[in-house]
Amino acid sequence: MNFNIGKLYFSATPFAFWLGVVTLLAVAVLCAVAIYRSSRRWRTGLLEAIRFVTASLIVIILWAPQIREVKEPEDEPMVLILYDRSFSMETVDAKVATIFGTVGDKKIIPRKDWVEFAIDDSLWKGLEESGDGTKVIKKAFSVDDSNKSKNRPGSDYYKAIQDTLEEYDNLKGIIVIGDGDYNTGDEPLRVAQVAAKRRVPLYTIGVGKTAFQPDLEIISLSAPKFGIVGEAMQIPFSIRSSINKDVKTVITLTDKTSKRIESKQINIPANSTFNDSLLFRLDDKEREYDFEFKVGIHSSEVITENNVQRFKLNSRKEDIKVLVIDSRPRWEYRFIRNALSRDPGVDLDCLLLHPKLGAGYGNDYIQKFPATFAELQKYDVVFLGDVGVGPDQLTVEQANMLKGLVENQASGLVFIPGSQGNIFSLLQPDPKDASKPITELADLIPVILDKTNSKGHRDAKPAPLSLTDRGKGSLLTMLGDSSDENANIWRRLPGFNWYAPVIKAKIGTDVLAVHSSKRTANNQRMPMLVTQNYGSGKVLFLAHDSAWKWRRGVEDLYHYRFWGQVARWMSYKRNRAAGENLRLHFSKDKPKPGDRITVTANAFDKNGAPLGIEGSVTVEIQTPAGKVITTDLKREEGDWGAYVGYFDILETGSYGITSYTSVDPTQKVSTSIETLTIELEKIGQPANFDMLKEVSSVSKGKFVTGDQIPELAEMIKNTPIREPEPTTTDLRSAKKEETSIPMWLLGSTIGLFAIFWVGRKMNGTF
């Protein structure tokens, strides 16, 4: 039974209503009898009043009390026309609607011009002639008036609709005109749900084509922050083609200072993303480079501005600290030692754990494995040869320290197993838990090995390595100065006889080279040269120990170049920004707006030991707009002095990074991150009609094309003004549309009961 007393509205079931009536009558009678029989009638009357109020509260709760109010709108009826004025509306792909009449001899016009025709008063004047006082208001959103290519505002459909809903309270509908290419703000679908609750339909009109215009666009360019003098620099890139046929073109990298040009011919498949890399060998002196990376313009391209990217980097000399560990002085060990000891950019230590003769002596030798984190953390790269855990080799703790060095200190680890099969000792079961290997280092091996064949395979006829597609473009395997020269070199390199029993590469690894003839059990080419990222660092696995044979006929040329490139590739991230007691590395060197960057710092005290829990690391980030953001990095668990933080790339330009520790704030490490000039708003992008259709459907509106505008105007004109809805507040809850009894009401009822009971005792009535 529903009834109201003024604004107080009750919605009780018939049973609850009559139960409440009977209850109140019974309590009233009981109260009257108690007062009549009492000798202290005024005190008894007060107590019985409390009893009746308490019972009334219970009955009111039973009857579901609500307050209903009808708020008349302050505004007169309105129809809002929101139209997109972002940079994407410059795209010339909008077909002139019939209702617009003729536009000279043009059939295709820019999207923004199409919108100007669509919001013309003549198309919507009928709405204001409906007789109900409806007004039509036009508002542009995501307006791009910067006249600059950098930091253009994106399209925020959510904010435009949300602001309209908040500003006006008597909307017959909102008309949204645009290409649907939203790229900032929240999902428009969420605000459509809000509009549906407010009973405000969203009518959408799509502008443009739903397909890419013919274009070649550089969408990624992963240039390093610095390069090593005299060494080759690898620049991976991605180009997206929206052209309906294969495109043969040329990419060029030009050093604007020296005018030197490196070029490469590529074939980009139709309507796909093409990934490749370009090599550029730096000069033999330290200097700054100003590069321009360019993709040749195709004859059918509509947009050419996105065919060019520019970036800068510095070349510098580098001192890489390397540790080589092996058990026997095999040929591979001897020539790796020679190659690295003669490299002027490498500071080498060797640990030879000979099972019979003990640790090796001589230049570049150490006598024992580093005993502390402070001693081990100085190494940028560790080569682990035919050595494992056991007597006269590494201990389990030392193997686990190597894992921590890679994971937390961004160091590199190179596995070069041998015929002794000592690598398998890293994989043996843990005596305490047979489901786990005895060392944590086992997780870093990027391949799965056949444990039934620890001695590996040996063929009478030597077999060469065969580069994969990824290997052909990798800096590690670049032994020549060009791709063609490199391919010829690898075809001529001597082969190997012994190789490790590899079953397959693990998921997430990069296979750079495979066996020229052998296949695994699943009929895949056997992986021989495999890399992977692990934690902050990198891992490389070479499945044979005969790279030293590459010296045949050419001496040190290819062998030295290969291992020198390995050492530099693995140490790049670690040495990107390094000081005496602090190193910084980042998840991306060339981010784009919208990316989140992970900042990892390795901090040390004045003695070189990892910074303890009492220390802290602070990072100051200066945005391209000049704003400085200061944040303290969070210390990671463990004893490696690793600290991690995050920041978002919101602008295009240069981000300055300065960091220091609490131990010595005067010792600062400074670097910068250059963003790619990839804008949120781009011309030539396809219109997103699917989003516009979903928004209309959810809000009970309609999606139309340009020629349907008159029908839409007539439909809105005939839509009656909606009656204001009453707002309902359930008194049983502090929140609308909830039915749980709030604590204040429950507490009040219990409190009144308590007062009544104590009062009765004091009054002497029972």
Side-chain angles (χ1 to χ4, degrees):
M1 297 180 65
N2 299 330
F3 60 96
N4 67 291
I5 304 174
K7 293 183 180 181
L8 192 60
Y9 181 86
F10 298 92
S11 57
T13 64
F15 175 77
F17 174 77
W18 289 114
L19 178 63
V21 170
V22 171
T23 300
L24 289 178
L25 288 175
V27 172
V29 171
L30 182 62
C31 291
V33 171
I35 294 172
Y36 176 76
R37 295 176 57 186
S38 175
S39 60
R40 304 183 181 94
R41 291 187 176 181
W42 67 271
R43 286 193 292 182
T44 303
L46 179 62
L47 287 173
E48 294 305 321
I50 294 175
R51 188 211 300 259
F52 188 79
V53 169
T54 305
S56 298
L57 280 176
I58 296 174
V59 171
I60 288 173
I61 293 173
L62 189 67
W63 286 351
Q66 301 172 347
I67 293 179
R68 291 191 176 184
E69 295 180 297
V70 178
K71 183 180 179 182
E72 296 294 333
E74 297 179 1
D75 301 324
E76 50 198 336
M78 292 184 181
V79 175
L80 258 291
I81 299 179
L82 297 175
Y83 56 97
D84 190 354
R85 283 288 303 278
S86 61
F87 183 65
S88 67
M89 299 299 287
E90 300 283 344
T91 304
V92 184
D93 68 346
K95 184 179 179 181
V96 177
T98 306
I99 62 170
F100 297 162
T102 58
V103 186
D105 58 350
K106 295 181 179 179
K107 295 183 179 180
I108 303 296
I109 59 176
R111 296 176 185 176
K112 67 173 185 177
D113 292 348
W114 193 97
V115 171
E116 292 299 324
F117 286 108
I119 63 175
D120 187 84
D121 290 339
S122 62
L123 297 176
W124 306 100
K125 63 181 180 180
L127 293 178
E128 296 185 340
E129 298 172 355
S130 58
D132 57 9
T134 298
K135 281 192 173 183
V136 177
I137 298 177
K138 304 170 189 175
K139 282 191 174 183
F141 67 93
S142 300
V143 179
D144 175 27
D145 54 8
S146 61
N147 295 320
K148 295 184 294 184
S149 61
K150 290 187 177 181
N151 302 326
R152 284 194 173 102
S155 298
D156 193 344
Y157 280 72
Y158 179 94
K159 186 177 187 301
I161 300 172
Q162 177 69 19
D163 289 350
T164 301
L165 290 172
E166 291 177 354
E167 185 175 356
Y168 303 100
D169 65 351
N170 194 10
L171 293 165
K172 290 182 70 175
I174 300 175
I175 300 169
V176 182
I177 308 176
D179 56 16
D181 181 24
Y182 73 96
N183 41 50
T184 57
D186 213 332
E187 288 281 343
L189 202 59
R190 295 185 62 182
V191 78
Q193 295 169 342
V194 176
K197 289 182 180 179
R198 291 272 303 272
R199 296 191 299 163
V200 178
L202 301 177
Y203 305 101
T204 56
I205 305 174
V207 186
K209 291 184 177 180
T210 56
F212 280 99
Q213 291 201 309
D215 184 34
L216 297 176
E217 178 187 5
I218 303 170
I219 60 174
S220 175
L221 187 67
S222 303
K225 179 62 181 175
F226 71 90
I228 308 301
V229 294
E231 297 292 334
M233 173 187 65
Q234 185 182 33
I235 304 170
F237 61 86
S238 296
I239 300 172
R240 181 172 59 202
S241 171
S242 53
I243 299 175
N244 293 324
K245 60 181 178 180
D246 292 356
V247 175
K248 286 186 178 181
T249 188
V250 175
I251 56 169
T252 58
L253 181 66
T254 304
D255 174 16
K256 306 296 285 186
T257 303
S258 66
K259 308 302 181 185
R260 180 179 152 204
I261 298 176
E262 290 289 340
S263 62
K264 183 177 183 179
Q265 187 172 19
I266 59 175
N267 186 18
I268 307 175
N271 296 313
S272 65
T273 299
F274 178 79
N275 302 298
D276 201 351
S277 61
L278 184 66
L279 292 172
F280 189 98
R281 190 167 295 279
L282 303 178
D283 298 339
D284 293 327
K285 60 180 180 180
E286 295 182 90
R287 69 178 180 91
E288 183 181 70
Y289 290 80
D290 183 6
F291 285 113
E292 180 183 78
F293 183 85
K294 189 173 183 179
V295 181
I297 298 174
H298 190 266
S299 58
S300 63
E301 279 194 83
V302 175
I303 310 145
T304 59
E305 292 85 355
N306 55 18
N307 288 48
V308 179
Q309 290 280 359
R310 297 191 68 170
F311 64 94
K312 295 181 179 180
L313 63 81
N314 293 308
S315 63
R316 69 190 192 196
K317 295 180 181 179
E318 192 170 20
D319 184 15
I320 304 171
K321 189 69 176 176
V322 177
L323 174 63
V324 178
I325 307 174
D326 214 325
S327 59
R328 296 175 183 270
R330 52 182 175 153
W331 290 108
E332 192 65 58
Y333 164 81
R334 291 178 60 183
F335 284 106
I336 287 177
R337 178 180 178 276
N338 289 345
L340 297 176
S341 64
R342 295 174 186 175
D343 191 324
V346 173
D347 183 7
L348 177 67
D349 283 337
C350 294
L351 177 60
L352 186 63
L353 302 172
H354 198 286
K356 295 181 180 179
L357 302 179
Y361 284 87
N363 293 333
D364 303 326
Y365 277 96
I366 59 175
Q367 299 305 301
K368 60 181 181 178
F369 188 89
T372 64
F373 294 130
E375 294 176 7
L376 185 60
Q377 62 83 19
K378 65 183 179 180
Y379 291 107
D380 300 306
V381 186
V382 177
F383 286 73
L384 195 63
D386 194 358
V387 63
V389 295
D392 300 320
Q393 297 189 63
L394 299 177
T395 65
V396 172
E397 291 74 18
Q398 290 169 346
N400 293 342
M401 285 175 68
L402 287 175
K403 183 251 189 181
L405 181 69
V406 176
E407 183 176 28
N408 300 296
Q409 296 279 325
S411 294
L413 180 62
V414 182
F415 288 99
I416 312 176
S419 58
Q420 299 297 315
N422 290 319
I423 191 174
F424 285 89
S425 63
L426 303 173
L427 305 174
Q428 60 184 315
D430 188 339
K432 298 179 181 179
D433 186 353
S435 64
K436 298 180 180 178
I438 193 172
T439 70
E440 298 175 0
L441 193 58
D443 294 339
L444 274 67
I445 301 174
V447 297
I448 297 176
L449 298 170
D450 183 0
K451 296 180 182 179
T452 64
N453 182 17
S454 62
K455 299 302 181 180
H457 304 286
R458 187 176 297 277
D459 296 335
K461 183 179 179 180
L465 288 177
S466 179
L467 294 182
T468 63
D469 289 339
R470 185 174 290 274
K472 291 174 183 177
S474 173
L475 175 63
L476 295 183
T477 57
M478 186 55 61
L479 303 181
D481 292 331
S482 68
S483 298
D484 292 339
E485 181 186 356
N486 188 59
N488 292 329
I489 291 172
W490 278 93
R491 280 192 289 267
R492 299 195 307 266
L493 287 178
F496 51 88
N497 297 91
W498 179 90
Y499 53 98
V502 177
I503 295 177
K504 64 177 181 179
K506 292 181 180 178
I507 297 174
T509 60
D510 290 328
V511 179
L512 304 184
V514 295
H515 198 290
S516 59
S517 58
K518 299 296 182 181
R519 294 183 176 271
T520 60
N522 58 1
N523 203 33
Q524 300 292 319
R525 299 282 288 277
M526 180 178 289
M528 297 296 293
L529 181 60
V530 185
T531 65
Q532 74 168 348
N533 294 322
Y534 191 92
S536 299
K538 298 177 179 179
V539 178
L540 181 143
F541 182 90
L542 180 63
H544 72 77
D545 61 354
S546 299
W548 62 273
K549 294 181 180 179
W550 298 349
R551 302 176 68 257
R552 188 175 67 192
V554 293
E555 295 300 328
D556 301 329
L557 180 59
Y558 303 137
H559 183 260
Y560 280 24
R561 176 176 290 187
F562 176 75
W563 290 119
Q565 289 172 172
V566 167
R568 285 164 175 79
W569 175 74
M570 289 193 147
S571 64
Y572 166 77
K573 186 176 180 181
R574 175 180 163 98
N575 292 321
R576 184 193 189 284
E580 291 184 5
N581 63 352
L582 184 64
R583 283 193 301 266
L584 295 177
H585 37 95
F586 309 93
S587 56
K588 289 185 179 181
D589 266 348
K590 286 289 181 181
K592 60 182 181 296
D595 286 343
R596 167 160 284 195
I597 301 299
T598 302
V599 184
T600 304
N602 298 125
F604 314 96
D605 60 23
K606 295 181 179 179
N607 297 319
L611 198 59
I613 58 174
E614 73 284 353
S616 63
V617 177
T618 301
V619 173
E620 296 176 353
I621 304 164
Q622 184 173 22
T623 69
K627 181 181 178 181
V628 177
I629 303 170
T630 302
T631 182
D632 289 331
L633 302 185
K634 181 181 178 181
R635 190 177 189 276
E636 295 282 89
E637 294 183 3
D639 301 318
W640 287 99
Y643 294 76
V644 176
Y646 309 90
F647 71 95
D648 295 320
I649 299 295
L650 303 176
E651 307 171 55
T652 297
S654 177
Y655 284 76
I657 314 292
T658 301
S659 185
Y660 51 88
T661 69
S662 58
V663 174
D664 190 356
T666 62
Q667 294 292 325
K668 297 184 178 182
V669 173
S670 297
T671 186
S672 63
I673 292 180
E674 302 288 336
T675 64
L676 291 174
T677 55
I678 296 178
E679 298 297 324
L680 292 175
E681 283 292 319
K682 296 179 279 191
I683 60 175
Q685 300 298 299
N688 186 0
F689 288 178
D690 288 340
M691 183 275 286
L692 297 175
K693 291 176 181 178
E694 285 183 337
V695 163
S696 294
S697 175
V698 169
S699 63
K700 309 302 182 185
K702 187 177 182 181
F703 172 84
V704 301
T705 60
D707 286 327
Q708 295 174 304
I709 288 178
E711 299 174 19
L712 176 62
E714 187 66 21
M715 182 178 70
I716 299 175
K717 175 182 176 181
N718 296 327
T719 301
I721 299 176
R722 61 185 176 90
E723 295 296 327
E725 275 191 340
T727 58
T728 301
T729 302
D730 193 331
L731 293 180
R732 296 178 300 173
S733 172
K735 296 182 180 180
K736 295 180 181 180
E737 300 178 357
E738 291 187 5
T739 56
S740 59
I741 300 176
M743 292 302 298
W744 69 267
L745 186 56
L746 184 63
S748 300
T749 305
I750 295 174
L752 287 173
F753 265 128
I755 293 171
F756 171 73
W757 187 257
V758 172
R760 286 190 65 191
K761 294 294 184 182
M762 295 178 65
N763 194 38
T765 58
F766 298 94

